[in-house]
Amino acid sequence: MKLQWEIFIAFFRVGIFGYGGGPASIPLVQKEVVERFRWMNNEEFGDILAIGNTLPGPIATKMAGYIGYRVGGYLGMLTALIASIVPTIILMIVFLTSLSAYKDQAWVQGMTHGVLPVVGVMMAVLTWQFFDKGKEGLGWWKTSALVILSLVVIEFLGIHPGIVIAILLTYALVGRKNATSDKEADSS
C-alpha cells in the first residue's frame, strides 16, 4: 500500500504543478521518478520518453501509465493515471470558471505569461541532462551532430519528432543487430 501511495503522490504532484501541458510536465515526472523515488535512472527515463514520443496521445498520461505499471503493476498504472488526470480536471473546472470571470484583468494575463519562463528553464535543464547522458554513450561529436540534425529536421523541415525518434530507434536496432552479426562472424 505504501508503494501505491508513493505512486499517487508522485503523479499527483506532476498533475498539480505540470502547468503548460504534457511537455512541461516531463521535467516534473523526471524529478519524481528518477530523483525523488529512484524508481529508474536517467537513461531508463530517457528511453521511456523517447518511445512515448513515438506513440500517439498525450505524453504525460502515457508516461504515468507506463511508469505506474512498471513500478506497481496494473494497480500502479491505475493509480498513476488517476493521480495525474484528476487534479487537472478539478483545476480546469475551478480555474476556468474563475478566470473566465476575470479574463480581461491584467493580472490574469500576466499570470499566464509569467509561468512560461519557468517552464522554459525546466525544459532546458532536462535537455542538458539528456545531452550530457548522450555524450557519455556516443561521444561529443556524434551527440552534437544528432542534436543539430534533429533541430534541422524537426524545426526547419517540419518533420514530427515522433517520426525522427522512430527512425533513430530503428537505426539503432538494425545497427546493433548488424554489429552483433559482424562480431559473431569474426569470432567463428
Side-chain angles (χ1 to χ4, degrees), residues 23 26 46-59 62-63 160-163 165-166:
I26 291 169
D47 291 344
I48 293 169
L49 178 61
I51 291 171
N53 272 322
T54 63
L55 302 173
I59 188 66
K62 287 184 287 190
M63 293 186 76
H160 191 277
I163 294 171
I165 292 170

Side-chain angles (χ1 to χ4, degrees), residues 49-183:
L49 178 61
I51 291 171
N53 272 322
T54 63
L55 302 173
I59 188 66
T61 50
K62 287 184 287 190
M63 293 186 76
Y66 176 74
I67 293 170
Y69 173 76
R70 182 173 158 171
V71 173
Y74 288 111
L75 184 58
M77 176 187 70
L78 286 174
T79 302
L81 287 173
I82 289 170
S84 65
I85 294 171
V86 170
T88 304
I89 293 170
I90 293 170
L91 288 175
M92 285 283 290
I93 292 169
V94 171
F95 277 145
L96 288 180
T97 302
S98 302
L99 290 179
S100 66
Y102 302 103
K103 66 182 177 188
D104 295 330
Q105 299 291 321
W107 65 270
V108 172
Q109 294 173 357
M111 182 178 71
T112 55
H113 293 298
V115 172
L116 293 177
V118 176
V119 173
V121 168
M122 291 168 54
M123 296 295 286
V125 168
L126 188 62
T127 300
W128 176 253
Q129 289 174 348
F130 285 150
F131 181 81
D132 199 40
K133 194 68 181 174
K135 195 175 64 175
E136 288 176 15
L138 296 173
W140 175 260
W141 291 108
K142 284 184 181 178
T143 302
S144 298
L146 278 175
V147 167
I148 293 168
L149 181 65
S150 299
L151 178 69
V152 169
V153 169
I154 293 169
E155 288 297 319
F156 300 114
L157 300 180
I159 306 293
H160 191 277
I163 294 171
V164 175
I165 292 170
I167 290 170
L168 289 173
L169 289 174
T170 303
Y171 176 77
L173 287 173
V174 171
R176 184 177 181 177
K177 185 177 179 182
N178 288 341
T180 304
S181 298
D182 290 345
K183 281 185 180 180

